[in-house]
């Protein structure tokens, strides 16, 4: 199946080089002294003045800069203080040259204190372990040894997590400067073309209405329509998704002009109409109320049509699905079907109700055949890279999950403030946005928001080499996905601080820097496409780009696959379609590049595109880019750019965490493990530590579950992991706990994270560590060592139709619930046994009891959200969970009493002699 491909002329898709200026650089112009660390408002550039200057600049933009500077020679080389039109012109020139973004450092008084506490905590840890190792517990040596091993591992995990947060930063963007430089009114926009990817698999688990809202928010984005293309990957080849997308394209003709006319946010209709705010705020058009009511009615009718399609799809006909023309749906067999492409909306057709063009909307379902490895989501993303390169070839790509809609219509412009910045763009592989979620319960019981990770850890990484790729809400540089190296400056190639201190700075410009400078010159010589199809077919000879000189056609085909059109597109760093192509050839080539055998004997999934080898392909893909020397950016505008849905049900949440942890274990046991991979590249040390922490954290589940059981064992055996503490030793214990709390409090201070979010993160770290992470370790070992694969489970995105947070209380059985429930039962039994023993032994035994009870209560408090999840709305734990947990706890307790490993053979013989055989 195919759709008509609109005409794709090179003029429409090519853009000027980001380094090109609107002013002749050879002409000296007056310079205004501007502090880039300050906001423009600090110079009196409020919104009214700004609009007036923009208008003045647009009216006089045809003036030659040489004439201006000759006419006002007294202003040359100095500050412009005049208030006349010439002063405004000169100021607009300066404003156009200002950076599109800036780093906002954390206040020094907060950051320096934070670092001091980290160092102090490290020193205290050294003294703590010196005491622990030199003071073993003789009568409970096994307990003591296990506890020390666990504590050493926890300390190493803390180091891996803490030091990548050494230099956190914030960033802010200047959308007005971006518009002044690349998107002036009355002129063709020079913003870069962007291809947006939406991935979906199962429409029954990922409702089509949610996918439709995501697509609608993309089509209504605030960006030139001829620069945006939306590709929807249907990896389940479902006719339901295809028909829902067709309905979405029709509704978009009414929805998109409504959004742009009234400038509404967000532009996903389901979430716009569900907002409980004053929707009349800042609206001045009298027709708004009437048009909003009409649009809401149109959307409700659209929802009914989508719901009818979903209801129809519940029962699959025996002969399979048939299309409107009576032919069989090609994707009836989800594991054996041809590739399918349908263009629903395009730049040369599909106008909205106001007669304006709409962004391109393309449905893609790659070919699948038995006997081929399809690589799940990573394979689907690579297919979209190739299809989009053939049809539109946007210079940048942005991928979102089907449930992550554009919450801000400015999202693409936010990303372009970094990607099109002359200084940052050449070395930035992707711009990652934080994930924000709708539909989370008020107290975020299972830490679905991940606030600590997105607002603390990611800001820390942004100050090193950039955040990790988290799988959605990310804008990529196409060249980075093609496996090319970045264009680095001499400062970027400086050795790290350890090498500097030992060897000093470089005194000569090394070869890498000279190669980078050569690459800069060649990339900026021309902004027009430098390849055409005739030359590609002749063997790709005669081009001046250095990559065509270094690689022959055979090497290019071995790297990218046998598609001349696609190979030609990889050389167009500014995007655009090669000339001398026609829609028929583009469509034929697009079908070819999504065939299941296209990637055979190529570097797809190995060095280019999304990397294969793990169910968490996002971590692996970002790691490979950073290892080549690319930098990533973390963009956190005041209004979240993307919002999605998250599983608030306990079982679904644990299964989601299991998949993430399993992917990390797969990377740990692969050749791409950050512990030993990429030392010949340009990966910074602290960035490497962050990646190591990302892939080793599931192993922490083993010492964690042992440490959570230790308090119960101490209470059952009347032993303890710590000997009698002196005042000197007690001081280090107090200082250690104080440093832990101080570190947390200072992190909350500079990041703005709330104490409740921090505590929920701590709780779910224990819940996930005693359940999903533990299972992931064993499943990963089975998969890598024994070849036993586990099925990929799509997280349910079902909407909450049975009331507010009804899904939160639904119980779904999974074996992941057994380990944490067992830990809970053992600790409760241990507390009862310990208190009973203290009552029978007198007041002198109450002192040691409090220390043991403290650790046991610590475990129970961390598992409290899990306990509430088991009880559900009716506060009743399912019988199967109780039976399994009590059985395991009883077996463990009986074995412990029978073996009693802390009694020596001599003591056991004495006990038998005193008591007798029949005692």
């Amino acid at each position: 199946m195919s759709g008509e491909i609109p005409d794709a002329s090179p003029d429409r898709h090519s853009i000027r080089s980001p380094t090109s200026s609107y002013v002749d650089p050879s002409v000296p112009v007056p310079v205004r002294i501007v502090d880039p660390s300050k906001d423009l408002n600090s110079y009196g550039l409020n919104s009214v003045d700004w609009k007036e200057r923009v208008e003045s600049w647009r009216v006089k933009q045809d003036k030659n800069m040489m004439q201006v500077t000759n006419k006002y020679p007294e202003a040359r080389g100095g500050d412009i203080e005049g208030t006349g039109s010439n002063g405004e012109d000169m100021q607009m020139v300066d404003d156009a040259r200002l950076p599109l973004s800036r780093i906002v450092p954390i206040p020094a008084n907060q950051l320096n204190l934070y670092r001091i506490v980290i160092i102090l905590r490290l020193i205290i840890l050294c003294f703590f372990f010196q005491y622990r190792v030199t003071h073993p517990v003789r009568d409970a040596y096994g307990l003591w040894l296990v506890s020390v091993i666990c504590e050493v591992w926890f300390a190493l995990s803390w180091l891996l997590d803490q030091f990548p947060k050494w230099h956190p930063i914030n960033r802010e963007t200047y959308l007005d400067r971006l518009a002044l430089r690349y998107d002036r009114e009355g002129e063709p926009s020079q913003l870069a073309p962007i291809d947006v990817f939406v991935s979906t698999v199962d429409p029954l688990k990922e409702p089509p209405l949610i996918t439709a809202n995501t697509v609608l928010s993309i089509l209504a984005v605030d960006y030139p329509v001829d620069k945006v293309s939306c590709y929807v990957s249907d990896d389940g080849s479902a006719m339901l998704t295809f028909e829902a997308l067709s309905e979405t394209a029709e509704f978009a003709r009414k929805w998109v002009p409504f959004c742009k006319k009234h400038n509404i946010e967000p532009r996903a209709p389901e979430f716009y109409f569900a907002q409980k705010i004053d929707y009349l705020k800042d609206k001045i058009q009298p027709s708004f109320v009437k048009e909003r009511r009409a649009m809401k009615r149109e959307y409700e009718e659209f929802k009914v049509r989508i719901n009818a399609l979903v209801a129809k799809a519940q029962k699959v006909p025996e002969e399979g699905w048939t299309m409107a023309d009576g032919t069989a749906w090609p994707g009836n067999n989800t594991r054996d079907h041809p590739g399918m492409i349908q263009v629903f909306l395009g730049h040369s057709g599909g106008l909205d109700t106001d007669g304006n063009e709409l962004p391109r909307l393309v449905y893609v379902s790659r070919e699948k055949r038995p006997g081929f490895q399809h690589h799940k989501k990573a394979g689907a993303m690579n297919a979209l890279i190739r299809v989009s390169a053939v049809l539109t070839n946007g210079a940048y790509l942005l991928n979102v999950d089907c449930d992550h809609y554009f919450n801000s219509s400015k999202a693409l412009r936010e990303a372009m403030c970094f990607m099109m910045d002359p200084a940052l763009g050449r070395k930035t592989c992707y711009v990652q946005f934080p994930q924000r979620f709708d539909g989370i319960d008020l107290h975020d019981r299972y830490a679905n928001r991940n606030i600590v990770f997105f607002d603390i850890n990611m800001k820390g990484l942004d100050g090193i080499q950039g955040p990790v790729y988290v799988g959605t809400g990310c804008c990529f540089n196409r060249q980075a996905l093609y496996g090319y190296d970045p264009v680095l400056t001499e400062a970027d190639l400086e050795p790290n601080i350890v090498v500097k201190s030992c060897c000093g700075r470089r005194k000569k410009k090394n070869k890498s820097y000279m190669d980078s400078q050569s690459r800069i010159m060649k990339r900026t010589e021309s902004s027009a496409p430098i390849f055409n199809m005739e030359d590609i077919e002749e063997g790709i000879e005669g081009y001046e780009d250095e990559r065509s000189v270094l690689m022959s056609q055979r090497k290019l085909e071995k790297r990218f696959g046998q598609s001349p059109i696609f190979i030609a597109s990889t050389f167009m760093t500014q995007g655009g379609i090669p000339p001398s192509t026609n829609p028929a050839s583009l469509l034929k080539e697009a079908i070819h590049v999504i065939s299941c055998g296209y990637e055979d004997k190529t570097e797809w999934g190995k060095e280019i595109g999304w990397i294969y080898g793990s169910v968490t392909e996002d971590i692996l893909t970002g790691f490979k880019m950073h290892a080549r020397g690319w930098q990533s950016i973390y963009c956190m505008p005041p209004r979240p750019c993307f919002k999605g849905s998250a599983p608030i049900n306990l079982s679904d949440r644990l299964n989601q965490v299991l998949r993430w942890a399993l992917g990390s274990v797969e990377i740990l046991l692969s050749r791409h493990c950050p512990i030993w991979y990429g030392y010949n590249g340009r990966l910074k040390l602290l960035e490497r530590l962050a990646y190591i922490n990302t892939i080793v954290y599931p192993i922490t589940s083993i010492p964690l579950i042992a440490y959570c059981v230790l308090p119960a064992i101490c209470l059952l055996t009347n032993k303890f992991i710590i000997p009698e503490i002196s005042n000197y030793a007690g001081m280090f214990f107090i200082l250690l706990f104080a440093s832990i709390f101080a570190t947390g409090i200072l992190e909350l201070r500079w990041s703005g994270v709330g104490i409740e979010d921090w505590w929920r993160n701590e709780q779910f770290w224990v819940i996930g560590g005693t359940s999903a992470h533990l299972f992931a370790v064993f499943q990963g070992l089975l998969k890598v060592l024994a070849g036993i694969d586990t099925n990929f489970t799509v997280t349910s995105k079902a909407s909450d139709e049975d009331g507010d947070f009804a899904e939160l209380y639904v119980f779904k059985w999974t074996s992941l619930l057994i380990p944490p429930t067992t830990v809970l039962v053992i600790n409760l039994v241990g507390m009862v046994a310990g208190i009973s023993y203290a009552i029978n032994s007198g007041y002198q035994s109450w002192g040691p009891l409090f220390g043991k009870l403290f650790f046991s209560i610590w475990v129970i408090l961390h598992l409290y959200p899990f306990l509430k999840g088991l009880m559900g709305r009716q506060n009743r734990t399912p019988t199967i969970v109780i039976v399994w947990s009590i059985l395991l706890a009883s077996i463990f307790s009986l074995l412990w009493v029978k073996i009693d490993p802390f009694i020596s053979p001599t003591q056991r013989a004495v006990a038998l002699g005193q008591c007798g055989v029949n005692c």
Side-chain angles (χ1 to χ4, degrees):
M1 173 173 294
S2 64
E4 181 180 355
I5 307 297
D7 180 39
S9 62
D11 294 337
R12 179 168 291 175
H13 295 280
S14 61
I15 65 169
R16 297 182 188 174
S17 171
T19 58
S20 62
S21 175
Y22 300 122
V23 183
D24 185 358
S26 64
V27 179
V29 296
V31 179
R32 179 181 175 90
I33 307 302
V34 177
D35 184 0
S37 65
K38 295 184 179 181
D39 190 32
L40 289 178
N41 290 328
S42 62
Y43 293 97
L45 306 182
N46 55 44
S47 58
V48 177
D49 293 337
W50 179 261
K51 292 179 180 178
E52 291 176 353
R53 287 197 303 276
V54 170
E55 182 68 20
S56 175
W57 171 264
R58 195 182 81 247
V59 172
K60 302 175 182 179
Q61 59 187 326
D62 295 331
K63 287 186 176 181
N64 188 282
M65 277 304 303
M66 180 65 75
Q67 295 176 355
V68 173
T69 51
N70 290 337
K71 186 176 181 180
Y72 303 101
E74 67 277 7
R76 189 189 308 265
D79 293 352
I80 298 177
E81 302 296 344
T83 58
S85 60
N86 61 312
E88 293 181 357
D89 284 342
M90 298 302 100
Q91 187 169 352
M92 294 299 294
V93 172
D94 297 333
D95 291 343
R97 290 177 170 178
L98 290 174
L100 303 179
S101 65
R102 75 181 182 101
I103 294 177
V104 183
I106 305 295
N109 61 336
Q110 297 180 10
L111 197 56
N112 291 337
L113 181 59
Y114 175 64
R115 292 170 176 170
I116 291 173
V117 171
I118 292 174
I119 298 298
L120 290 176
R121 181 174 172 180
L122 186 60
I123 296 172
I124 294 170
L125 268 176
C126 294
F127 282 101
F128 171 79
F129 282 118
Q130 186 271 340
Y131 170 81
R132 291 286 280 138
V133 172
T134 57
H135 292 77
V137 182
R138 301 298 179 185
D139 60 341
Y141 191 83
L143 287 177
W144 169 83
L145 182 61
V146 171
S147 66
V148 170
I149 293 173
C150 294
E151 289 162 1
V152 170
W153 180 264
F154 295 152
L156 291 175
S157 298
W158 172 75
L159 290 175
L160 292 176
D161 179 69
Q162 187 65 68
F163 279 98
K165 296 182 284 188
W166 184 260
H167 190 261
I169 61 172
N170 294 310
R171 295 181 188 268
E172 66 179 23
T173 56
Y174 299 107
L175 300 181
D176 46 5
R177 298 178 188 174
L178 179 75
L180 179 61
R181 186 177 299 181
Y182 296 109
D183 194 30
R184 294 181 293 174
E185 290 186 20
E187 293 185 2
S189 175
Q190 297 184 46
L191 290 172
I194 303 175
D195 296 331
V196 184
F197 296 168
V198 181
S199 57
T200 182
V201 180
D202 187 351
L204 298 181
K205 289 186 177 180
E206 301 168 325
L209 186 62
I210 293 180
T211 305
N213 272 270
T214 300
V215 172
L216 289 169
S217 68
I218 296 171
L219 298 178
V221 72
D222 182 12
Y223 207 77
V225 293
D226 60 326
K227 304 287 187 178
V228 180
S229 300
C230 177
Y231 292 82
V232 179
S233 169
D234 177 19
D235 219 30
S237 65
M239 187 173 175
L240 172 58
T241 303
F242 179 84
E243 292 182 332
L245 207 59
S246 178
E247 291 285 350
T248 303
E250 289 301 316
F251 179 71
R253 301 176 193 271
K254 305 172 185 176
W255 173 252
V256 172
F258 171 76
C259 294
K260 294 186 175 181
K261 178 180 180 180
H262 300 289
N263 195 28
I264 66 168
E265 298 284 1
R267 298 187 178 181
E270 181 71 20
F271 302 96
Y272 169 69
F273 291 120
Q275 289 182 115
K276 298 179 181 179
I277 61 172
D278 180 13
Y279 62 83
L280 297 177
K281 185 178 181 181
D282 299 329
K283 297 297 184 290
I284 58 176
Q285 297 188 34
S287 62
F288 172 68
V289 174
K290 181 179 179 180
E291 292 180 10
R292 185 182 186 276
R293 289 173 181 170
M295 184 54 60
K296 187 174 183 181
R297 183 170 58 253
E298 292 281 356
Y299 177 64
E300 290 172 348
E301 293 175 358
F302 167 73
K303 287 178 65 175
V304 171
R305 294 194 296 271
I306 296 295
N307 291 337
L309 293 175
V310 174
K312 177 184 175 182
Q314 299 298 320
K315 186 177 180 180
V316 182
E318 293 182 1
E319 65 278 6
W321 298 108
T322 56
M323 295 183 290
D325 58 0
T327 58
W329 171 247
N332 278 324
N333 188 342
T334 59
R335 298 183 179 181
D336 187 3
H337 64 83
M340 296 177 282
I341 297 176
Q342 176 68 50
V343 179
F344 288 105
L345 298 173
H347 300 323
S348 63
L351 305 180
D352 61 26
T353 54
D354 291 346
N356 299 317
E357 292 183 352
L358 291 169
R360 182 171 298 191
L361 175 61
V362 184
Y363 168 89
V364 178
S365 182
R366 57 181 173 145
E367 181 186 20
K368 288 189 177 180
R369 301 296 182 189
F372 287 89
Q373 178 60 262
H374 301 295
H375 302 290
K376 300 174 182 176
K377 180 181 177 181
M381 289 292 100
N382 286 338
L384 286 184
I385 291 177
R386 298 190 293 271
V387 168
S388 62
V390 170
L391 298 183
T392 53
N393 195 31
Y396 304 102
L397 313 173
L398 189 145
N399 86 291
V400 291
D401 290 340
C402 65
D403 62 321
H404 275 71
Y405 65 91
F406 278 56
N407 185 60
S408 171
S409 61
K410 306 288 186 182
L412 298 183
R413 293 178 180 268
E414 294 280 356
M416 290 302 102
C417 283
F418 301 104
M419 288 300 193
M420 298 188 70
D421 188 286
L424 288 176
R426 297 189 186 95
K427 57 184 178 182
T428 300
C429 55
Y430 59 81
V431 176
Q432 178 66 61
F433 294 87
Q435 292 185 22
R436 297 292 187 249
F437 301 97
D438 290 316
I440 305 296
D441 55 295
L442 181 61
H443 299 290
D444 193 13
R445 179 186 291 179
Y446 305 123
N448 283 282
R449 293 190 178 96
N450 270 338
I451 293 294
V452 172
F453 174 75
F454 286 111
D455 288 19
I456 297 180
N457 295 69
M458 296 287 267
K459 287 182 179 179
L461 291 175
D462 199 20
I464 307 172
Q465 198 174 345
V468 298
Y469 169 43
V470 298
T472 183
C474 187
C475 183
F476 286 94
N477 184 332
R478 213 180 252 275
Q479 298 300 306
L481 284 170
Y482 289 158
Y484 294 126
D485 293 332
V487 178
L488 301 176
T489 63
E490 186 176 15
D492 298 321
L493 297 171
E494 284 290 330
N496 59 44
I497 188 170
V498 177
V499 177
K500 285 181 182 179
S501 61
C502 298
C503 306
R505 293 180 177 269
R506 291 185 177 95
K507 295 183 179 180
K508 297 181 180 180
K509 293 185 178 181
N510 59 24
K511 187 176 182 297
S512 298
Y513 174 69
M514 299 303 294
D515 291 342
S516 297
Q517 292 301 308
S518 175
R519 194 177 297 116
I520 290 174
M521 296 301 297
K522 289 186 178 181
R523 285 190 181 182
T524 56
E525 283 175 357
S526 173
S527 61
I530 58 175
F531 292 89
N532 56 54
M533 293 313 302
E534 288 81 6
D535 292 326
I536 289 294
E537 292 173 356
E538 292 173 1
I540 320 179
E541 295 180 355
Y543 293 112
E544 297 179 357
D545 190 285
E546 88 268 15
R547 288 201 296 265
S548 64
V549 175
L550 295 175
M551 294 190 295
S552 65
Q553 181 178 2
R554 182 175 300 176
K555 289 183 178 180
L556 286 169
E557 290 180 350
K558 185 177 181 180
R559 181 178 179 86
F560 295 110
Q562 297 186 2
S563 171
I565 294 179
F566 175 75
I567 292 175
S569 70
T570 64
F571 291 92
M572 300 175 186
T573 59
Q574 304 303 326
I577 298 297
S580 304
T581 57
N582 58 72
S585 64
L586 289 180
L587 178 59
K588 182 179 179 180
E589 197 70 13
I591 293 293
H592 169 60
V593 298
I594 61 172
S595 59
C596 55
Y598 180 83
E599 295 182 356
D600 291 349
K601 298 180 181 180
T602 67
E603 295 185 8
W604 284 100
K606 301 172 186 176
E607 297 297 331
I608 61 177
W610 269 259
I611 306 301
Y612 304 149
S614 171
V615 295
T616 52
E617 70 290 328
D618 45 7
I619 297 175
L620 207 50
T621 302
F623 172 66
K624 292 277 285 187
M625 293 181 185
H626 283 135
R628 295 190 191 101
W630 287 94
Q631 169 189 342
S632 57
I633 300 291
Y634 194 50
C635 182
M636 255 184 88
R639 179 180 179 87
C641 286
F642 303 93
K643 280 191 174 182
S645 60
I648 62 175
N649 177 267
L650 175 60
S651 299
D652 290 340
R653 172 68 166 143
L654 290 178
N655 276 297
Q656 181 189 55
V657 174
L658 170 64
R659 183 171 65 86
W660 295 343
L662 178 59
S664 295
V665 175
E666 290 173 347
I667 298 173
L668 175 64
L669 301 176
S670 72
R671 73 181 186 91
H672 290 118
C673 178
I675 297 175
W676 52 71
Y677 181 85
Y679 283 95
N680 293 329
R682 302 189 186 97
L683 187 66
K684 294 185 178 180
L685 176 61
L686 292 183
E687 192 79 11
R688 182 179 296 276
L689 291 182
Y691 273 109
I692 293 175
N693 183 53
T694 302
I695 57 104
V696 303
Y697 76 90
I699 299 179
T700 307
S701 61
I702 298 175
L704 178 61
I705 201 167
Y707 211 71
C708 288
V709 172
L710 280 178
I713 298 175
C714 293
L715 288 167
L716 290 170
T717 60
N718 198 29
K719 311 290 184 180
F720 201 39
I721 59 176
I722 301 173
E724 293 186 3
I725 301 177
S726 63
N727 293 335
Y728 175 76
M731 178 184 67
F732 285 109
F733 279 89
I734 295 173
L735 288 176
L736 178 62
F737 283 107
S739 65
I740 292 173
F741 285 114
T743 306
I745 291 172
L746 291 174
E747 278 186 356
L748 301 184
R749 184 184 176 194
W750 63 253
S751 66
V753 174
I755 185 68
E756 184 177 13
D757 292 315
W758 176 83
W759 174 237
R760 286 286 180 259
N761 181 76
E762 294 294 312
Q763 287 180 313
F764 199 79
W765 176 73
V766 176
I767 295 171
T770 55
S771 57
H773 298 172
L774 184 66
F775 276 71
V777 172
F778 291 105
Q779 287 187 15
L781 291 173
L782 287 174
K783 182 175 181 179
V784 174
L785 301 180
I788 301 176
D789 200 355
T790 54
N791 292 327
F792 169 76
T793 303
V794 179
T795 306
S796 176
K797 279 91 176 178
S799 57
D800 194 4
E801 298 177 353
D802 299 326
D804 291 339
F805 314 122
E807 187 72 13
L808 181 68
Y809 305 102
V810 175
F811 175 78
K812 300 177 182 179
W813 164 250
T814 172
S815 55
L816 297 174
L817 302 175
I818 295 177
T821 308
T822 304
V823 171
L824 268 174
V825 172
I826 291 177
N827 276 276
L828 291 173
V829 171
M831 289 180 64
V832 173
I835 294 174
S836 300
Y837 177 81
I839 293 174
N840 294 330
S841 302
Y843 70 90
Q844 70 277 3
S845 61
W846 283 95
L849 176 66
F850 285 133
K852 304 171 188 176
L853 286 177
F854 172 80
F855 284 105
S856 193
I857 293 173
W858 175 87
V859 173
I860 293 173
L861 286 177
H862 278 77
L863 292 175
Y864 179 68
F866 175 83
L867 182 61
K868 290 185 67 176
L870 288 181
M871 293 182 175
R873 192 189 296 271
Q874 291 78 24
N875 291 327
R876 177 176 172 272
T877 305
T879 305
I880 187 172
V881 177
I882 297 176
V883 170
W884 272 102
S885 301
I886 292 178
L887 179 62
L888 290 175
S890 301
I891 293 173
F892 179 82
S893 302
L894 290 173
L895 285 174
W896 190 272
V897 172
K898 179 66 178 177
I899 298 173
D900 204 356
F902 300 118
I903 297 182
S904 63
T906 305
Q907 292 174 326
R908 184 176 287 107
V910 172
L912 289 174
Q914 292 176 349
C915 199
V917 177
N918 298 323
C919 122

